[in-house]
Amino acid sequence: MSIIGDILTTTRDESPDESGSSVTYLIRKANISHGRLAKILDTLVQQGLLEQTSSERACKYKISERGREFLQAYRGFREFADSFGLRI
Amino acid sequence: MVVVSEPVILEIALNLLGLVVGLALGIFSYIGFKNTGSPTLFRLNISFFSIGIGFGVVGFGFIVEYFVLGYGGISGWIQTLGIGIQTVGYFFIAFSHGIKSFFPKSRYFKSIILPLFIIPGNSLEHIIRSISFILLVYGTIETIMSYMESRKRSTIFVAAGLGLLALGEFLGWYSVIFPKSVLYLVSLSTKIAGLGALFVPISQVPLRGGVRPGGSL
């Protein structure tokens, strides 16, 4: 769950340009393997939390409106779980 | 006509307050689970619903037995059922902290904790209260450890809340020795205060927005 939060936060706040974040950039930020990240990105695109945008060389990912709403809720309830000494 | 004493009214009121507080926390956790799909929030949701329903069973048990059936006191099995349901809730809080083993390995700790199981003898209610107490103490210690790391103010409120619930369970268990004393009422009030302290983290969560992605994430 925290990896998803990290990926969505990166695509929202730290995208290098307006077309979105590349897979390489996300691997560096989320600190996970390419295989695992690819699966998570597929799921997030299917769920409508991320939008896939094409660039000249590779796919890039942008956070969707639904993703922004999810991230807002995630952050709020992460605080709640943190207060119990738990991880969301 | 049944004459109802003030302590009984207070016991009913406190138990119904426990029901409301427990359900409110449960609903809040459910909203969190619905928005994020987090298994942790699902466990907290089950936990708070159980605690609330446990209080409700005892509260409505009092009402039915006093006002409907006209008995002089609440049946032991209703009290045991309510406390048992609350224990399920405490278990899920402790379980969320990744409870590893039920009994401590140290002989020193066994000598302190085992009497909690032995002294009550065959009484199911007292055994359940002992289990609740241990689970709550475990949850309190884990939450204090988290506070030491994060230094978040709301975490110390949760630790205090769980600690008060543990103290309430202990006093409830101890009230068996002094059945005519106010210990039971003090125990109930302490538990409600503990539940109230668990409300603090809610004030920090914005309830607007949020979607739960379908499927497994």
Side-chain angles (χ1 to χ4, degrees):
Chain A
M1 184 63 84
S2 65
I3 293 171
I4 291 165
D6 289 345
I7 292 170
L8 291 175
T9 305
T10 304
T11 54
R12 191 187 69 173
D13 303 335
E14 299 172 40
S15 278
D17 55 67
E18 282 189 5
S19 60
S21 308
S22 67
V23 175
T24 315
Y25 186 78
L26 290 172
I27 287 172
R28 207 165 55 234
K29 287 288 179 184
N31 199 23
I32 54 170
S33 70
H34 180 272
R36 196 167 171 210
L37 180 70
K39 280 182 190 168
I40 294 172
L41 288 175
D42 279 348
T43 310
L44 293 178
V45 170
Q46 280 170 20
Q47 303 293 341
L49 301 179
L50 281 183
E51 288 168 1
Q52 203 168 359
T53 56
S54 300
S55 71
E56 290 171 7
R57 289 185 180 178
C59 282
K60 289 194 171 185
Y61 295 90
K62 273 173 70 177
I63 191 167
S64 65
E65 194 51 43
R66 192 176 154 87
R68 285 175 195 276
E69 287 176 9
F70 174 80
L71 193 57
Q72 190 188 347
Y74 165 78
R75 285 187 165 181
F77 285 103
R78 187 184 60 187
E79 287 284 308
F80 177 67
D82 279 352
S83 301
F84 282 82
L86 301 170
R87 291 195 177 276
I88 196 169
Chain B
M1 187 184 162
V2 182
V3 179
V4 184
S5 60
E6 273 181 28
V8 172
I9 303 266
L10 197 57
E11 281 174 30
I12 291 170
L14 286 173
N15 276 300
L16 293 183
L17 185 62
L19 168 72
V20 172
V21 173
L23 289 185
L25 283 163
I27 289 167
F28 183 80
S29 303
Y30 177 74
I31 292 169
F33 164 66
K34 206 166 162 253
N35 279 299
T36 63
S38 160
T40 302
L41 291 172
F42 181 66
R43 281 192 289 271
L44 283 179
N45 155 46
I46 294 175
S47 167
F48 290 126
F49 271 130
S50 296
I51 294 170
I53 290 167
F55 274 108
V57 166
V58 178
F60 283 110
F62 266 114
I63 291 170
V64 170
E65 300 235 328
Y66 273 94
F67 295 104
V68 180
L69 302 174
Y71 294 165
I74 188 170
S75 298
W77 70 268
I78 295 178
Q79 185 101 341
T80 305
L81 179 67
I83 290 163
I85 295 170
Q86 285 176 43
T87 303
V88 173
Y90 303 143
F91 169 77
F92 275 100
I93 291 179
F95 181 72
S96 293
H97 280 289
I99 191 164
K100 298 285 190 302
S101 58
F102 199 71
F103 291 102
K105 287 174 184 168
S106 152
R107 281 187 182 182
Y108 173 73
F109 277 112
K110 272 184 183 174
S111 68
I112 294 169
I113 290 169
L114 277 181
L116 289 172
F117 288 86
I118 295 164
I119 291 169
N122 295 325
S123 169
L124 188 61
E125 178 190 332
H126 307 150
I127 292 169
I128 290 170
R129 277 194 190 278
S130 307
I131 294 169
S132 291
F133 175 72
I134 291 167
L135 291 171
L136 284 164
V137 167
Y138 178 83
T140 307
I141 292 168
E142 285 291 326
T143 311
I144 289 171
M145 299 280 276
S146 297
Y147 171 74
M148 304 293 254
E149 286 175 14
S150 67
R151 296 278 168 190
K152 281 184 68 176
R153 211 168 128 258
S154 57
T155 308
I156 203 69
F157 277 101
V158 171
L162 292 175
L164 284 170
L165 282 168
L167 179 65
E169 280 302 332
F170 181 75
L171 291 173
W173 174 76
Y174 214 70
S175 67
V176 178
I177 299 166
F178 304 105
K180 301 272 181 184
S181 70
V182 292
L183 267 177
Y184 182 74
L185 273 180
V186 174
S187 144
L188 208 51
S189 307
T190 309
K191 282 167 79 176
I192 302 295
L195 273 180
L198 299 184
F199 251 107
V200 172
I202 291 182
S203 62
Q204 299 175 343
V205 180
L207 282 173
R208 286 184 62 216
V211 285
R212 183 197 171 185
S216 57
L217 277 172

